[in-house]
Amino acid sequence: VISIFIDAPYQIEFNKSDTLTAVADVDRIIIACAATCRPSCSYKWVKTDGSVVENSKILDLNPVQKLDDGSFVCVAWNKHNKQGLKKDLKLTVNCK
């Protein structure tokens, strides 16, 4: 008997906190998003206005800019859930 497990994305996590604070033009933020899924997931990072920031599981803001202030959404999907699973990240950017 051969068992094949097929899972839509679930249990999405960040490698850091869901809420971050950074200083504009000084700090760099690198955050990874990961979900449990089989077959493997595709990822993207989106701003709340719908613009895609990254087409990968890694969000890399270097350096962080004041316009980065706000919410980012990591979306993970595979062929079993094309809508995707979403998780919000809140970034507060202070001026130096």
Side-chain angles (χ1 to χ4, degrees), residues 14-92:
F14 297 139
N15 67 334
K16 295 186 178 155
S17 172
D18 299 24
T19 307
L20 300 171
T21 302
V23 178
D25 301 320
V26 173
D27 290 333
R28 177 181 191 182
I29 298 243
I30 300 173
I31 189 161
C33 177
T36 303
C37 49
R38 194 171 299 127
S40 61
C41 284
S42 296
Y43 296 89
K44 67 181 173 182
W45 285 90
V46 181
K47 286 285 279 185
T48 51
D49 66 4
S51 60
V52 175
V53 180
E54 296 279 352
N55 279 308
S56 74
K57 66 187 319 180
I58 305 294
L59 176 65
D60 186 355
L61 304 173
N62 183 26
V64 173
Q65 299 176 15
K66 186 61 182 164
L67 60 92
D68 293 324
D69 189 87
S71 294
F72 293 82
V73 179
C74 177
V75 183
W77 73 95
N78 68 11
K79 67 181 182 178
H80 301 292
N81 181 352
K82 295 188 189 292
Q83 295 283 26
L85 184 64
K86 300 173 183 176
K87 183 166 179 150
D88 294 336
L89 170 78
K90 173 72 174 139
L91 176 61
T92 302

